[in-house]
């Protein structure tokens, strides 16, 4: 028997068709008509797992049908794999990155930068017709292969296994080392000894933490950024100038400003104007990297801000959000809680520190762009000492009017595991807000055990 | 659901056992306890039906049902689902309003819960993923010594010494135990060490949430007198004795919550 699939209602079509086109890096556009057709005809056939009505497994995605940019971020997510394949067919260079950096230098060097999650998304989208169960089994198989190739001690294996297997046409692996992530070394070592080690590798050496006030560290890191751009140029065959980087910084600053404004607009609302997933998908556009297309992210972000402003003005509450939900702020790298199930339990996610840290950090536009980018990167609040990071986080918690804080990290993420307790202790001490630390298991019982704890925390609030 | 009586039920489907409690006019009226099977819907219904049968009731006689435990997401018979952490808090508070700290040890996890005078959770911590420190761990150890699970605590209490157990992993602990037996250590002393090892793990959870008297011990493992004694020593507390089977506390709390929800939703007026 076929699984029940969600369908967008025709009742909202007219309003959606009045919204803007999405413009892409290559200058092409997609109209609302084309997006509507894709979401209602093509995508449910290609990716039934994304439309399957299943309260307990997978991510049901947004169902906020009256918010056009919700559908558009969905569109960008579902077309991601096809767009990456098209980009490769057109000769675009793609880099596998890791380490929490802003992607300005990759944009400057005309290279698409993909983190592990996006690399997995690219691979996942290559197979059509799977329901949630089949999709989960496929992903688990891939993860098991990664454990075999790397180590089951590594938390974020995603991506390397696909490079090694030759599943994806990735041109260069260029992570930032020693930047919040303890397991990049697993991936790098596995790559050095793997069967597909000819894929170019560059470690962008990030000076040890807490060096933001030291000129030598900024100079050293700026040199590393130049090495990065040179390496990307070797792949693309072009020459990236300082002016190219400055242009990229200006473009990304525009995204960062818009992302920050959108988040603050959202926080200013009496009632949450969107659900957790929509908030996250729109605010994260500010880094202009999440869909592998800077211009597409920017065009949806601009429109999203307009729609959120309207909702805030009219007091519209986001889809499936409870009355007076408990507001959760999520800390930690690479993972978050299940937004829709947490909403069912009476909560809403109002913010995260990961990614938001560099979205809210503008880069100076006057002077040497490499130096400026290095300085800004070394100053990311998320990468500072425990006390400094906690103080910055407290500011965000207050701005977002959070009722509770959950620090969540992957099993095997040594950096975040080590600092989670002191950080939440400072937050608890200074705000009195209840906190909870959760270490995510690697698949298996993850969903239910984790949700059980989150729900208990929400009930406690 | 219409108002059809003052019966409220809680059903707690855990990894090893499914439990149910029916409240009538605020008092415990009937209970049910069955081993959990692979089908959690069936396990919950079996436990509920057992209580219904002993009370001479039908499911339609119940005003409100709350499901809890890991099987709560698959409980079509329940009006609402609540986590077992909240339910243990309410259950302990129902029996002893002076309780402020709960140790819950079930089949697959253990929890340290702090509550207030109303039975609301103030803070909690759980073991995250390892089976060591749970009922399943004790089951494995009972198997190693070829003794009944129910006798494990009494054997540990008969010990003349405590053999320290360095391992915190169920699989490693099993092999360590075998080597201790081979070395000539007495089984009761090894079992005593195992109980203290588990108690020390639990003490670690309380370093995160703190302890305040009175202290209550719930869950299936609370029936183990050796474990109760080891925890009392590790935490330097005296544990309040429950009047009912401690394995039923989660289901009792769920029934109390069912009563509260029912009142809140206007289905029942006291």
């Amino acid at each position: 028997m076929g699984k029940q699939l969600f369908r967008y209602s025709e009742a909202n079509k007219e309003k959606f068709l009045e919204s803007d086109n999405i413009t892409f890096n290559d200058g092409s556009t997609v109209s609302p008509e084309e997006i509507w057709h894709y979401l209602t005809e093509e995508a449910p056939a290609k990716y039934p797992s994304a439309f399957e009505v299943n309260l307990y497994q997978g991510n049901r995605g947004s169902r906020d049908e009256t918010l056009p940019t919700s559908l558009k971020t969905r569109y960008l997510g579902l077309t991601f794999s096809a767009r990456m394949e098209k980009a490769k067919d057109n000769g675009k260079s793609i880099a596998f990155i890791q380490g929490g950096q802003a992607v300005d230098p990759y944009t400057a060097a005309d290279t698409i930068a993909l983190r592990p999650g996006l690399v997995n998304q690219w691979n996942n989208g290559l197979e059509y017709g799977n329901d949630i169960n089949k999709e989960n089994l496929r992903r688990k198989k891939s993860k098991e292969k990664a454990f075999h190739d790397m180590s089951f001690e590594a938390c974020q294996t995603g991506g390397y296994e696909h490079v090694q297997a030759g599943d994806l046409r990735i041109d260069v692996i260029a992570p930032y080392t020693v930047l919040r992530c303890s397991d990049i070394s697993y991936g790098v070592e596995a790559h050095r000894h793997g069967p597909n080690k000819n894929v170019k590798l560059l470690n962008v050496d990030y000076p040890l933490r807490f060096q933001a006030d030291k000129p030598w560290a900024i100079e050293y890191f700026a040199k590393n950024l130049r090495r990065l751009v040179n390496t990307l140029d070797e792949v693309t065959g072009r020459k990236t100038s300082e002016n190219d980087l400055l242009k990229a910084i200006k473009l990304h600053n525009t995204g960062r400003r818009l992302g920050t404004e959108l988040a603050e607009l959202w926080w200013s609302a009496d009632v949450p104007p969107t659900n957790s997933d929509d908030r996250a998908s729109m605010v994260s556009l500010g880094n202009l990297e999440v869909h592998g297309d800077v211009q597409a992210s920017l065009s949806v972000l601009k429109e999203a801000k307009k729609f959120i402003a309207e909702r805030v003005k009219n007091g519209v509450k986001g889809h499936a959000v409870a009355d007076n939900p408990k507001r959760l702020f999520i800390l930690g790298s690479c993972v978050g809680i299940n937004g829709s199930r947490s909403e069912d339990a009476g909560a809403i996610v109002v913010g995260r520190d990961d990614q938001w840290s560099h979205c809210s950090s503008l880069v100076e536009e006057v002077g040497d762009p490499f130096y400026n980018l290095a300085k800004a990167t070394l100053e990311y609040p998320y990468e500072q000492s425990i006390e400094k990071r906690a103080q910055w986080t407290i500011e965000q918690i207050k701005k977002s009017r959070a009722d509770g804080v959950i620090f969540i990290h992957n099993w095997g993420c040594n950096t975040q595991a080590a600092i989670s307790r002191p950080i939440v202790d400072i937050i608890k001490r200074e705000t009195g807000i209840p906190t909870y630390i959760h270490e995510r298991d690697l698949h298996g019982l993850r969903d239910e055990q984790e949700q059980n704890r989150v729900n208990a925390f929400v009930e406690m609030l | 659901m219409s108002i059809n009586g003052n019966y409220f039920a809680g059903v707690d489907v855990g990894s090893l056992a499914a439990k149910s409690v029916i409240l009538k006019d605020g008092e415990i009226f009937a209970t049910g306890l069955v081993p959990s099977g692979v089908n959690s819907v069936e396990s919950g219904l079996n436990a509920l039906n057992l209580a219904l049968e002993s009370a001479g009731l039908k499911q339609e006689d119940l005003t409100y049902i709350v499901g809890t435990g890991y099987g709560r997401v698959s409980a079509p018979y329940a009006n609402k689902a609540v986590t077992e952490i909240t339910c243990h808090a309410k259950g302990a508070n129902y029996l002893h309003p002076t309780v402020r700290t709960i140790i819950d040890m079930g089949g697959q996890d253990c929890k340290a819960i702090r509550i207030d005078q109303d039975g609301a959770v103030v803070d909690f911590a759980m073991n995250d993923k390892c089976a060591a420190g749970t009922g399943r761990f004790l089951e494995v150890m009972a198997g190693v010594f070829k003794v009944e699970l129910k006798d494990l605590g009494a054997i540990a209490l008969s010990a003349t010494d405590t053999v320290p157990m360095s391992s915190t992993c169920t699989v490693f602990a099993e092999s360590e135990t075998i080597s201790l037996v081979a070395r000539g250590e007495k089984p009761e002393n090894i079992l005593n060490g195992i109980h203290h090892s588990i108690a020390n793990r639990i003490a670690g959870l309380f370093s995160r949430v703190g302890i305040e008297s009175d202290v209550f011990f719930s869950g299936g493992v609370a029936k183990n007198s050796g474990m109760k004694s080891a925890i009392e020593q590790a935490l330097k507390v005296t544990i309040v004795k429950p009047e009912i089977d401690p394995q039923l506390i989660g289901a009792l709390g769920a029934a109390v919550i069912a009563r509260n929800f029912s009142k809140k939703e206007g289905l029942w007026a006291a």
Side-chain angles (χ1 to χ4, degrees):
Chain A
M1 198 173 96
K3 301 279 170 51
Q4 189 192 346
L5 299 186
F6 168 83
R7 298 284 181 180
Y8 287 102
S9 165
E10 289 290 317
N12 301 306
K13 184 176 176 181
E14 201 178 325
K15 189 189 170 193
F16 182 75
L17 296 186
E18 289 168 8
S19 65
D20 298 342
N21 291 346
I22 298 176
T23 305
F24 294 94
N25 280 342
D26 62 5
S28 65
T29 60
V30 61
S31 69
E33 286 87 348
E34 289 167 311
I35 296 171
W36 184 268
H37 174 78
Y38 182 83
L39 288 175
T40 56
E41 302 290 335
E42 282 184 53
K46 277 185 176 171
Y47 303 119
S49 62
F51 291 82
E52 190 175 320
V53 177
N54 187 322
L55 292 179
Y56 301 118
Q57 289 189 63
N59 182 348
R60 75 180 175 202
S62 174
R63 299 287 189 255
D64 202 336
E65 297 186 62
T66 61
L67 182 60
T69 44
S70 171
L71 278 70
K72 287 179 183 175
T73 54
R74 193 93 181 115
Y75 170 81
L76 289 174
L78 290 167
T79 56
F80 182 78
S81 193
R83 288 190 292 105
M84 291 304 103
E85 289 294 311
K86 183 182 162 196
K88 284 310 303 172
D89 291 344
N90 292 335
K92 189 88 173 177
S93 176
I94 296 184
F96 175 28
I97 67 166
Q98 209 171 356
Q101 66 274 55
V103 299
D104 307 31
Y106 305 88
T107 302
D110 196 28
T111 298
I112 297 173
L114 302 180
R115 295 187 199 286
L118 290 174
V119 171
N120 278 329
Q121 191 178 338
W122 179 5
N123 186 65
N124 293 339
L126 293 176
E127 193 170 294
Y128 298 152
N130 288 336
D131 62 18
I132 283 179
N133 188 43
K134 278 187 189 158
E135 191 59 33
N136 282 347
L137 289 174
R138 181 167 172 252
R139 291 182 191 193
K140 194 158 183 174
K141 193 175 170 187
S142 173
K143 193 83 178 168
E144 287 301 320
K145 182 177 184 320
F147 291 155
H148 172 274
D149 291 349
M150 292 169 63
S151 163
F152 75 93
E153 304 277 358
C155 81
Q156 187 62 275
T157 54
Y160 287 98
E161 69 270 31
H162 300 309
V163 179
Q164 293 310 320
D167 298 333
L168 304 173
R169 290 176 282 169
I170 285 173
D171 302 280
V172 56
I173 296 176
Y176 285 19
T177 51
V178 202
L179 183 64
R180 98 226 338 244
C181 180
S182 62
D183 70 1
I184 290 172
S185 55
Y186 286 109
V188 168
E189 284 309 307
H191 180 68
R192 279 184 176 141
H193 301 101
N196 208 3
K197 60 188 168 195
N198 290 335
V199 174
K200 195 180 269 293
L201 170 70
L202 173 76
N203 288 321
V204 183
D205 193 19
Y206 184 92
L208 287 173
R209 298 159 75 95
F210 327 138
Q211 306 291 339
D213 58 340
K214 301 197 175 53
W216 73 263
I218 302 170
E219 293 286 358
Y220 177 76
F221 191 44
K223 270 186 201 166
N224 266 278
L225 291 177
R226 287 180 194 277
R227 279 179 60 225
L228 168 64
V229 167
N230 289 341
T231 303
L232 298 177
D233 282 352
E234 284 171 22
V235 176
T236 61
R238 68 194 287 278
K239 179 68 188 158
T240 302
S241 65
E242 283 196 359
N243 198 41
D244 289 329
L245 181 59
L246 178 60
K247 276 188 201 163
I249 287 171
K250 286 182 174 175
L251 179 63
H252 280 279
N253 272 348
T254 304
R256 289 186 274 261
R257 280 193 197 94
L258 275 170
T260 306
E261 286 164 12
L262 192 147
E264 289 178 349
L265 196 57
W266 197 100
W267 285 339
S268 73
D270 292 333
V271 293
T274 70
N275 59 32
S276 309
D277 289 343
D278 281 327
R279 195 206 73 85
S281 67
M282 285 174 213
V283 172
S284 66
L285 290 171
N287 287 322
L288 306 185
E289 58 160 285
V290 72
H291 295 295
D293 193 300
V294 172
Q295 292 298 341
S297 295
L298 189 60
S299 72
V300 177
L301 177 59
K302 283 177 183 167
E303 204 181 14
K305 194 186 157 199
K306 188 180 75 181
F307 287 123
I308 298 302
E310 269 176 28
R311 284 195 166 194
V312 173
K313 188 180 161 194
N314 298 323
V316 175
K317 190 175 71 171
H319 171 72
V321 177
D323 290 332
N324 302 313
K326 296 300 173 192
R327 300 166 72 94
L328 302 175
F329 201 96
I330 309 299
L331 313 184
S333 291
C334 307
V335 287
I337 63 171
N338 185 317
S340 51
R341 287 196 67 187
S342 302
E343 278 148 22
D344 292 344
I348 185 160
V349 177
V350 296
R352 290 187 59 183
D353 57 355
D354 190 16
Q355 307 291 321
W356 174 239
S357 163
H358 69 265
C359 183
S360 56
S361 299
L362 293 177
V363 182
E364 179 64 52
E365 294 178 8
V366 177
D368 177 354
F370 286 97
Y371 183 91
N372 291 341
L373 185 60
K375 187 169 186 296
T377 307
L378 290 171
E379 286 173 347
Y380 287 159
Y382 193 88
E383 313 300 344
Q384 303 310 308
S385 65
I386 286 169
E387 185 68 38
K388 271 191 181 172
R389 177 174 161 184
Q391 292 304 332
W392 173 79
T393 311
I394 288 167
E395 277 176 38
Q396 313 312 307
I397 289 166
K398 286 180 178 170
K399 279 190 201 169
S400 64
R401 292 176 282 126
D403 299 307
V405 171
I406 296 178
F407 196 123
I408 182 167
H409 58 81
N410 275 322
W411 180 66
C413 181
N414 299 330
T415 312
Q416 300 303 318
I419 62 178
S420 58
R421 173 58 55 189
I423 283 187
V424 300
D425 282 350
I426 294 169
I427 292 168
K428 207 170 189 173
R429 184 186 72 215
E430 298 203 10
T431 65
I433 291 175
T435 60
Y436 182 68
I437 297 173
H438 181 69
E439 184 181 53
R440 171 170 287 183
D441 201 353
L442 292 167
H443 293 278
L445 291 171
R446 181 187 83 184
D447 292 341
E448 211 43 59
Q449 297 245 13
E450 183 174 298
Q451 199 59 45
N452 186 43
R453 288 152 171 79
V454 171
N455 285 10
F457 184 70
V458 174
E459 286 168 6
M460 188 182 95
L461 293 175
Chain B
M1 187 180 278
S2 61
I3 301 170
N4 54 5
N6 288 343
Y7 298 103
F8 309 97
V11 181
D12 176 7
V13 182
S15 60
L16 292 182
K19 294 80 68 176
S20 67
V21 168
I22 295 173
L23 289 180
K24 181 193 177 192
D25 299 330
E27 301 294 326
I28 297 170
F29 189 61
T31 64
L33 196 156
V34 297
S36 286
V38 289
N39 185 331
S40 59
V41 179
E42 208 172 86
S43 300
L45 275 173
N46 286 343
L48 181 61
N49 288 335
L50 194 62
L52 287 168
E53 275 170 31
S54 72
L57 295 171
K58 293 178 185 151
Q59 200 175 316
E60 307 85 82
D61 297 323
L62 299 171
T63 303
Y64 209 99
I65 305 172
V66 164
T68 190
Y70 285 111
R72 73 181 186 282
V73 292
S74 308
Y77 47 83
N79 300 76
K80 227 167 192 111
V82 177
T83 66
E84 67 272 23
I85 294 166
T86 302
C87 289
H88 278 269
K90 284 289 176 197
N93 175 262
Y94 171 91
L95 291 176
H96 291 278
T98 54
V99 164
R100 296 290 177 271
T101 304
I102 301 163
I103 305 146
D104 170 43
M105 288 184 71
Q108 70 173 13
D109 60 37
C110 56
K111 311 175 187 79
I113 309 169
R114 291 284 306 281
I115 64 173
D116 65 14
Q117 68 280 0
D118 300 319
V121 177
V122 176
D123 206 351
F124 68 94
M126 294 175 74
N127 70 317
D128 272 327
K129 49 191 63 71
C130 177
T134 69
R136 184 71 75 187
F137 179 83
L138 288 170
E139 267 192 3
V140 170
M141 289 304 148
V144 170
F145 287 99
K146 297 189 182 351
V147 297
E148 292 286 323
L149 181 63
K150 64 180 174 54
D151 299 329
L152 218 53
I155 297 171
L157 285 176
S158 70
T160 53
D161 200 357
T162 304
V163 177
M165 291 287 293
S166 57
S167 204
T168 52
C169 165
T170 303
V171 176
F172 291 166
E174 186 175 358
S175 56
E176 187 177 351
T177 299
I178 291 166
S179 65
L180 286 169
V181 171
R183 206 171 74 188
E185 297 290 351
K186 290 179 180 171
E188 60 269 29
N189 292 351
I190 298 171
L191 280 171
N192 194 28
I194 287 169
H195 283 70
H196 281 277
S197 159
I198 295 172
N200 288 335
R201 276 179 72 92
I202 289 161
L205 292 179
F206 280 100
S207 69
R208 297 186 219 164
V209 301
I211 302 172
E212 186 186 351
S213 291
D214 293 343
V215 180
F216 191 85
F217 190 12
S218 65
V221 181
K223 295 177 187 179
N224 180 319
S225 54
M227 187 52 65
K228 177 175 172 286
S229 169
I231 290 174
E232 286 182 326
Q233 288 176 55
L235 297 180
K236 298 182 176 59
V237 297
T238 302
I239 290 171
V240 172
K241 190 175 163 31
E243 292 80 0
I244 65 167
D245 182 342
Q247 206 166 359
L248 296 170
I249 303 301
L252 171 62
V256 172
I257 292 168
R259 189 166 174 260
N260 294 344
F261 273 135
S262 170
K263 199 172 171 183
K264 202 171 161 187
E265 293 177 16
L267 298 175
W268 166 74

